[in-house]
Amino acid sequence: MRKPRRLTPDELAPFEWHPPRRFGRWGVGEVRLEDAVPTPLAALDWPALFGNPNPVEVEVGMGKGLFLLTQATARPAVNFFGIEVVRKYQQFATTRFAVRRLPNVKTAYADAKALFRDVIAPGSVSAVHVLFPDPWWKARHKKRRVFTPEFAADIARALPVGGALHVASDVAEYFGVMTGILRAMPAFRELAAETTDGGGFETNFERKARAQGTPVGRARYERTAEAVTVAPDPATG
Ligand SMILES: C[S@@+](CC[C@H](N)C(=O)[O-])C[C@H]1O[C@@H](n2cnc3c(N)ncnc32)[C@H](O)[C@@H]1O
């Protein structure tokens, strides 16, 4: 990983959202959120965080932040919030946004599942992007995958009617699991789903997949007015 200039915590601070300290580390590491938080949490206040009422799009697992960097630069009237569970990637990506002084990106070092479940208010985000989530190849590790039926339901709750969900993966089996979960949810309507063998890239992992000639699946969904349901878990049939 090429090291960008190391910024001080004060320089990074305007680009980060930190959960209140007393709530522990948001399910990262040893502290489980449900153990650490005795009372209901205040919802994330997007206008207060960004200083404007613009729509907010969330990326789950932004890695080194290429997607957010491109999007936030191209679409200054949209706010972007990146969640990353690995501290060094969250800091790397945040540094990229901070050195460019992008006013419309904030990040959190956190477990996206915990944030969607506990602090992202219903209907409060206009789009969610889950791009190349870790596949956790081994059967015994698959339970670590971020994209589960419960997580898809939490995403659906976070979106208003008409809100967008964008998923992509270069792992055909995982792409099938994600689209299978979403197709089983009346709360989502599939707008597009395709697997392509070439073309450009939007994220670091997509760049690697394209360079290796690995097909990439990408699908887009719209939130319908239907109630949120939890799809059957493909892991248990
Ligand atoms: C395979 S990488 C893809 C990174 C980026 N989206 C890309 O396409 O280049 C998956 C990323 O998701 C992060 N991640 C995994 N589980 C997560 C979770 N529960 N919450 C937030 N980030 C998570 C990983 O740390 C990793 O950076």
Side-chain angles (χ1 to χ4, degrees), residues 153-216:
D154 286 339
I155 291 174
R157 286 186 199 95
L159 293 168
V161 173
L165 173 59
H166 170 200
V167 300
S169 180
D170 58 336
V171 179
E173 179 267 337
Y174 197 7
F175 184 64
V177 166
M178 291 196 287
T179 53
I181 289 170
L182 295 167
R183 286 171 186 161
M185 294 175 68
F188 284 113
R189 175 179 23 251
E190 191 169 276
L191 301 178
E194 59 172 359
T195 296
T196 53
D197 252 340
F201 59 87
E202 291 191 324
T203 79
N204 256 56
F205 269 72
E206 185 166 15
R207 180 169 57 80
K208 286 182 204 166
R210 296 296 189 199
Q212 290 164 2
T214 309
V216 167

Coordinates of all heavy atoms in Angstrom, one line a residue, residues 153-216:
A153 N -32.0 -6.6 5.1 CA -33.2 -6.0 5.7 C -32.9 -4.7 6.4 O -33.7 -3.7 6.2 CB -33.9 -7.0 6.7
D154 N -31.8 -4.6 7.1 CA -31.4 -3.3 7.7 C -31.1 -2.2 6.7 O -31.5 -1.1 6.8 CB -30.2 -3.5 8.6 CG -30.5 -4.2 9.9 OD1 -31.7 -4.2 10.3 OD2 -29.6 -4.8 10.5
I155 N -30.5 -2.6 5.5 CA -30.3 -1.7 4.4 C -31.6 -1.2 3.9 O -31.8 0.0 3.7 CB -29.4 -2.3 3.3 CG1 -28.0 -2.6 3.8 CG2 -29.4 -1.4 2.1 CD1 -27.1 -3.3 2.8
A156 N -32.6 -2.1 3.7 CA -33.9 -1.8 3.2 C -34.6 -0.7 4.1 O -35.2 0.2 3.6 CB -34.8 -3.0 3.0
R157 N -34.4 -0.9 5.4 CA -35.0 0.0 6.4 C -34.4 1.4 6.3 O -35.0 2.4 6.5 CB -34.9 -0.5 7.8 CG -35.8 -1.6 8.1 CD -35.8 -2.0 9.6 NE -36.3 -3.4 9.7 CZ -35.6 -4.5 9.7 NH1 -34.3 -4.5 9.7 NH2 -36.2 -5.7 9.8
A158 N -33.1 1.4 6.0 CA -32.4 2.7 5.9 C -32.7 3.5 4.7 O -32.5 4.7 4.6 CB -30.9 2.4 5.9
L159 N -33.3 2.8 3.7 CA -33.6 3.5 2.4 C -35.1 4.0 2.4 O -36.0 3.2 2.8 CB -33.4 2.6 1.2 CG -31.9 2.2 1.0 CD1 -31.9 1.0 0.0 CD2 -31.1 3.3 0.4
P160 N -35.3 5.2 1.8 CA -36.7 5.6 1.6 C -37.2 4.9 0.3 O -36.4 4.3 -0.5 CB -36.6 7.1 1.3 CG -35.2 7.2 0.7 CD -34.4 6.1 1.3
V161 N -38.5 4.9 0.1 CA -39.0 4.4 -1.2 C -38.3 5.1 -2.3 O -38.2 6.4 -2.3 CB -40.6 4.6 -1.3 CG1 -41.1 4.2 -2.7 CG2 -41.3 3.8 -0.2
G162 N -37.8 4.4 -3.3 CA -37.1 5.0 -4.4 C -35.6 5.0 -4.2 O -34.8 5.3 -5.1
G163 N -35.1 4.7 -2.9 CA -33.7 4.7 -2.6 C -33.0 3.5 -3.4 O -33.7 2.6 -3.9
A164 N -31.7 3.6 -3.5 CA -31.0 2.7 -4.4 C -30.0 1.8 -3.6 O -29.4 2.3 -2.6 CB -30.2 3.5 -5.4
L165 N -29.9 0.6 -4.0 CA -28.9 -0.4 -3.5 C -28.1 -0.9 -4.7 O -28.6 -1.3 -5.7 CB -29.5 -1.5 -2.7 CG -28.6 -2.6 -2.3 CD1 -27.5 -2.1 -1.4 CD2 -29.4 -3.7 -1.6
H166 N -26.8 -0.8 -4.5 CA -25.8 -1.2 -5.6 C -24.9 -2.2 -5.0 O -24.2 -2.0 -4.0 CB -25.1 0.1 -6.0 CG -23.9 0.0 -6.9 ND1 -23.0 1.0 -7.0 CD2 -23.6 -1.0 -7.7 CE1 -22.1 0.6 -7.8 NE2 -22.4 -0.6 -8.3
V167 N -24.9 -3.4 -5.6 CA -24.0 -4.5 -5.1 C -23.1 -5.0 -6.3 O -23.5 -5.0 -7.4 CB -24.7 -5.7 -4.5 CG1 -25.6 -5.2 -3.3 CG2 -25.6 -6.4 -5.5
A168 N -21.9 -5.4 -5.9 CA -21.0 -5.9 -7.0 C -20.0 -6.9 -6.3 O -19.7 -6.8 -5.1 CB -20.2 -4.8 -7.6
S169 N -19.6 -7.9 -7.1 CA -18.7 -8.9 -6.6 C -18.0 -9.6 -7.8 O -18.6 -9.8 -8.8 CB -19.3 -9.9 -5.7 OG -18.4 -10.9 -5.3
D170 N -16.8 -10.0 -7.6 CA -16.1 -10.8 -8.6 C -16.1 -12.3 -8.2 O -15.4 -13.1 -8.8 CB -14.6 -10.3 -8.9 CG -13.8 -10.4 -7.6 OD1 -14.4 -10.3 -6.5 OD2 -12.6 -10.4 -7.7
V171 N -16.9 -12.6 -7.2 CA -17.0 -14.0 -6.7 C -18.4 -14.4 -7.1 O -19.4 -14.0 -6.5 CB -16.8 -14.1 -5.2 CG1 -17.0 -15.5 -4.7 CG2 -15.4 -13.6 -4.8
A172 N -18.5 -15.2 -8.2 CA -19.8 -15.5 -8.8 C -20.8 -16.1 -7.7 O -22.0 -15.7 -7.7 CB -19.7 -16.5 -9.9
E173 N -20.3 -17.0 -6.9 CA -21.1 -17.6 -5.9 C -21.7 -16.5 -4.9 O -22.9 -16.6 -4.6 CB -20.3 -18.7 -5.1 CG -21.1 -19.4 -4.0 CD -21.0 -18.8 -2.6 OE1 -19.9 -18.1 -2.4 OE2 -21.9 -19.0 -1.8
Y174 N -20.9 -15.6 -4.4 CA -21.3 -14.6 -3.5 C -22.3 -13.6 -4.2 O -23.3 -13.2 -3.6 CB -20.1 -13.9 -2.9 CG -20.3 -13.1 -1.6 CD1 -21.5 -13.1 -0.9 CD2 -19.3 -12.3 -1.1 CE1 -21.7 -12.4 0.2 CE2 -19.5 -11.5 0.1 CZ -20.7 -11.6 0.7 OH -20.8 -10.9 1.9
F175 N -22.0 -13.3 -5.4 CA -22.9 -12.4 -6.2 C -24.3 -13.1 -6.3 O -25.3 -12.5 -6.1 CB -22.3 -12.2 -7.6 CG -23.1 -11.2 -8.4 CD1 -23.3 -9.9 -8.0 CD2 -23.8 -11.6 -9.5 CE1 -24.1 -9.0 -8.7 CE2 -24.5 -10.7 -10.3 CZ -24.7 -9.4 -9.9
G176 N -24.3 -14.4 -6.5 CA -25.5 -15.1 -6.6 C -26.2 -15.1 -5.2 O -27.5 -15.0 -5.2
V177 N -25.5 -15.2 -4.1 CA -26.1 -15.1 -2.8 C -26.7 -13.8 -2.6 O -27.9 -13.6 -2.1 CB -25.1 -15.4 -1.7 CG1 -25.6 -15.1 -0.3 CG2 -24.7 -16.9 -1.7
M178 N -26.0 -12.7 -2.9 CA -26.6 -11.4 -2.7 C -27.8 -11.1 -3.5 O -28.8 -10.6 -3.0 CB -25.5 -10.3 -3.0 CG -24.3 -10.3 -2.0 SD -23.3 -8.8 -2.1 CE -22.4 -9.0 -3.6
T179 N -27.7 -11.4 -4.8 CA -28.9 -11.2 -5.7 C -30.0 -12.1 -5.3 O -31.2 -11.7 -5.4 CB -28.5 -11.4 -7.2 OG1 -27.9 -12.7 -7.4 CG2 -27.6 -10.3 -7.7
G180 N -29.7 -13.3 -4.8 CA -30.8 -14.3 -4.4 C -31.5 -13.7 -3.2 O -32.7 -13.8 -3.1
I181 N -30.8 -13.2 -2.2 CA -31.4 -12.6 -1.0 C -32.3 -11.4 -1.5 O -33.4 -11.3 -1.1 CB -30.3 -12.1 0.0 CG1 -29.6 -13.2 0.6 CG2 -30.9 -11.1 1.0 CD1 -28.4 -12.9 1.4
L182 N -31.8 -10.5 -2.3 CA -32.5 -9.3 -2.7 C -33.7 -9.6 -3.6 O -34.7 -9.0 -3.4 CB -31.5 -8.3 -3.4 CG -30.4 -7.8 -2.5 CD1 -29.3 -7.1 -3.2 CD2 -31.0 -6.9 -1.4
R183 N -33.6 -10.6 -4.4 CA -34.8 -11.0 -5.3 C -35.9 -11.6 -4.4 O -37.0 -11.6 -4.8 CB -34.3 -12.0 -6.3 CG -33.5 -11.3 -7.4 CD -32.9 -12.3 -8.4 NE -32.0 -11.6 -9.3 CZ -31.1 -12.2 -10.0 NH1 -30.8 -13.5 -9.9 NH2 -30.3 -11.4 -10.9
A184 N -35.5 -12.1 -3.2 CA -36.5 -12.7 -2.4 C -37.2 -11.7 -1.5 O -38.1 -12.0 -0.7 CB -35.9 -13.8 -1.5
M185 N -36.8 -10.4 -1.6 CA -37.4 -9.3 -0.8 C -38.3 -8.4 -1.6 O -37.8 -7.7 -2.5 CB -36.2 -8.5 -0.2 CG -35.3 -9.2 0.8 SD -33.9 -8.2 1.4 CE -34.8 -7.0 2.4
P186 N -39.6 -8.4 -1.2 CA -40.5 -7.5 -1.9 C -40.1 -6.0 -1.8 O -40.5 -5.2 -2.6 CB -41.8 -7.8 -1.3 CG -41.7 -9.1 -0.6 CD -40.3 -9.2 -0.3
A187 N -39.3 -5.7 -0.8 CA -38.9 -4.3 -0.5 C -37.9 -3.9 -1.6 O -37.5 -2.7 -1.6 CB -38.3 -4.2 0.9
F188 N -37.4 -4.8 -2.4 CA -36.4 -4.4 -3.5 C -37.0 -4.8 -4.8 O -37.5 -5.9 -5.0 CB -35.1 -5.0 -3.3 CG -34.3 -4.3 -2.2 CD1 -34.0 -5.0 -1.0 CD2 -33.8 -3.0 -2.3 CE1 -33.2 -4.4 0.0 CE2 -33.1 -2.4 -1.3 CZ -32.8 -3.1 -0.1
R189 N -36.8 -3.9 -5.8 CA -37.0 -4.2 -7.2 C -35.7 -4.2 -8.0 O -35.0 -3.2 -7.9 CB -38.0 -3.2 -7.8 CG -38.2 -3.5 -9.3 CD -39.2 -2.5 -10.0 NE -39.4 -1.2 -9.4 CZ -40.5 -0.8 -8.8 NH1 -41.5 -1.7 -8.7 NH2 -40.6 0.4 -8.2
E190 N -35.4 -5.3 -8.7 CA -34.1 -5.3 -9.4 C -34.2 -4.4 -10.7 O -35.1 -4.6 -11.5 CB -33.8 -6.7 -9.8 CG -32.4 -6.9 -10.3 CD -32.0 -8.4 -10.4 OE1 -31.6 -8.9 -9.4 OE2 -32.2 -8.9 -11.5
L191 N -33.3 -3.5 -10.8 CA -33.3 -2.6 -12.0 C -32.3 -3.2 -13.0 O -32.6 -3.0 -14.2 CB -32.9 -1.2 -11.6 CG -33.7 -0.5 -10.5 CD1 -33.1 0.8 -10.2 CD2 -35.1 -0.4 -11.0
A192 N -31.2 -3.8 -12.6 CA -30.2 -4.3 -13.5 C -29.4 -5.3 -12.8 O -29.1 -5.1 -11.6 CB -29.4 -3.1 -14.0
A193 N -29.0 -6.3 -13.5 CA -28.0 -7.3 -13.0 C -27.3 -7.9 -14.1 O -27.9 -8.5 -15.0 CB -28.8 -8.4 -12.2
E194 N -26.0 -7.8 -14.1 CA -25.2 -8.4 -15.2 C -23.8 -8.8 -14.7 O -23.3 -8.2 -13.8 CB -25.2 -7.4 -16.4 CG -24.5 -6.1 -16.1 CD -24.3 -5.3 -17.3 OE1 -24.6 -5.7 -18.5 OE2 -23.7 -4.2 -17.2
T195 N -23.3 -9.7 -15.4 CA -21.9 -10.1 -15.2 C -21.1 -9.8 -16.5 O -21.5 -10.2 -17.5 CB -21.8 -11.6 -14.8 OG1 -22.5 -11.8 -13.6 CG2 -20.4 -12.0 -14.6
T196 N -20.1 -9.0 -16.3 CA -19.3 -8.6 -17.5 C -17.9 -9.0 -17.4 O -17.3 -9.2 -16.3 CB -19.4 -7.0 -17.6 OG1 -18.9 -6.5 -16.4 CG2 -20.8 -6.6 -18.0
D197 N -17.3 -9.2 -18.6 CA -16.0 -9.8 -18.7 C -14.9 -8.7 -18.9 O -13.8 -9.1 -19.2 CB -16.0 -10.7 -19.9 CG -15.9 -12.1 -19.5 OD1 -15.5 -12.3 -18.3 OD2 -16.3 -13.0 -20.3
G198 N -15.2 -7.5 -18.9 CA -14.2 -6.5 -19.2 C -14.8 -5.2 -18.9 O -15.9 -5.0 -18.4
G199 N -14.0 -4.1 -19.2 CA -14.5 -2.8 -19.0 C -13.7 -2.1 -17.9 O -12.7 -2.5 -17.4
G200 N -14.3 -1.0 -17.4 CA -13.6 -0.1 -16.5 C -13.7 -0.6 -15.1 O -14.2 -1.8 -14.8
F201 N -13.3 0.2 -14.1 CA -13.4 -0.2 -12.7 C -13.8 1.0 -11.9 O -13.4 2.1 -12.2 CB -12.0 -0.8 -12.2 CG -10.9 0.1 -12.4 CD1 -10.6 1.0 -11.4 CD2 -10.1 0.1 -13.5 CE1 -9.5 1.9 -11.5 CE2 -9.0 1.0 -13.6 CZ -8.7 1.9 -12.6
E202 N -14.5 0.7 -10.8 CA -14.9 1.7 -9.9 C -14.2 1.6 -8.5 O -14.3 2.6 -7.7 CB -16.4 1.6 -9.6 CG -17.3 2.0 -10.9 CD -18.7 2.1 -10.5 OE1 -19.2 1.3 -9.6 OE2 -19.4 3.0 -11.1
T203 N -13.6 0.5 -8.2 CA -13.0 0.3 -6.9 C -11.7 -0.4 -7.2 O -11.4 -1.0 -8.2 CB -13.8 -0.6 -6.0 OG1 -13.7 -2.0 -6.4 CG2 -15.3 -0.3 -6.0
N204 N -10.8 -0.5 -6.1 CA -9.6 -1.1 -6.2 C -9.7 -2.6 -6.5 O -9.0 -3.2 -7.3 CB -8.9 -1.0 -4.8 CG -7.8 0.0 -4.9 OD1 -8.0 1.2 -5.2 ND2 -6.6 -0.4 -4.5
F205 N -10.7 -3.3 -5.8 CA -10.8 -4.7 -6.0 C -11.4 -5.0 -7.4 O -11.0 -6.0 -8.1 CB -11.7 -5.3 -5.0 CG -10.9 -5.8 -3.8 CD1 -10.3 -4.9 -2.9 CD2 -10.7 -7.2 -3.6 CE1 -9.6 -5.4 -1.9 CE2 -10.0 -7.6 -2.6 CZ -9.4 -6.7 -1.7
E206 N -12.2 -4.1 -8.0 CA -12.6 -4.3 -9.3 C -11.5 -4.1 -10.3 O -11.4 -4.9 -11.3 CB -13.8 -3.2 -9.7 CG -14.3 -3.5 -11.1 CD -15.6 -2.8 -11.3 OE1 -16.0 -1.9 -10.6 OE2 -16.3 -3.2 -12.3
R207 N -10.6 -3.2 -10.0 CA -9.4 -3.0 -10.9 C -8.6 -4.3 -10.9 O -8.2 -4.8 -12.0 CB -8.5 -1.9 -10.4 CG -7.3 -1.6 -11.2 CD -6.6 -0.3 -10.9 NE -6.2 -0.3 -9.5 CZ -5.1 -0.8 -9.0 NH1 -4.3 -1.5 -9.7 NH2 -4.9 -0.7 -7.7
K208 N -8.4 -4.9 -9.8 CA -7.6 -6.2 -9.7 C -8.4 -7.3 -10.5 O -7.8 -8.1 -11.2 CB -7.5 -6.7 -8.2 CG -6.5 -5.8 -7.5 CD -6.4 -6.4 -6.0 CE -5.9 -5.3 -5.1 NZ -6.0 -5.6 -3.7
A209 N -9.7 -7.4 -10.3 CA -10.5 -8.4 -11.0 C -10.4 -8.2 -12.5 O -10.2 -9.2 -13.2 CB -11.9 -8.4 -10.5
R210 N -10.5 -7.0 -12.9 CA -10.4 -6.7 -14.4 C -9.1 -7.1 -14.9 O -9.0 -7.7 -16.0 CB -10.7 -5.3 -14.7 CG -12.1 -4.8 -14.3 CD -13.2 -5.5 -15.1 NE -14.5 -4.9 -14.9 CZ -15.7 -5.5 -15.2 NH1 -15.6 -6.7 -15.7 NH2 -16.8 -4.9 -15.0
A211 N -8.0 -6.8 -14.2 CA -6.7 -7.1 -14.6 C -6.4 -8.6 -14.8 O -5.7 -9.0 -15.6 CB -5.7 -6.4 -13.7
Q212 N -7.1 -9.3 -13.9 CA -7.0 -10.8 -14.0 C -7.9 -11.4 -14.9 O -8.0 -12.7 -15.1 CB -7.2 -11.4 -12.5 CG -6.0 -11.0 -11.6 CD -6.4 -11.2 -10.1 OE1 -7.5 -11.7 -9.8 NE2 -5.5 -10.9 -9.2
G213 N -8.8 -10.7 -15.5 CA -9.8 -11.2 -16.4 C -11.0 -11.9 -15.7 O -11.7 -12.7 -16.3
T214 N -11.1 -11.6 -14.4 CA -12.2 -12.3 -13.7 C -13.5 -11.5 -14.0 O -13.6 -10.3 -13.9 CB -12.0 -12.2 -12.2 OG1 -10.6 -12.7 -11.9 CG2 -13.0 -13.0 -11.4
P215 N -14.6 -12.3 -14.3 CA -15.9 -11.6 -14.6 C -16.4 -10.9 -13.3 O -16.2 -11.4 -12.2 CB -16.8 -12.7 -15.0 CG -15.9 -13.8 -15.4 CD -14.7 -13.7 -14.6
V216 N -17.1 -9.8 -13.5 CA -17.6 -9.0 -12.4 C -19.1 -8.9 -12.5 O -19.7 -8.6 -13.5 CB -17.0 -7.6 -12.3 CG1 -17.7 -6.7 -11.4 CG2 -15.5 -7.7 -12.0

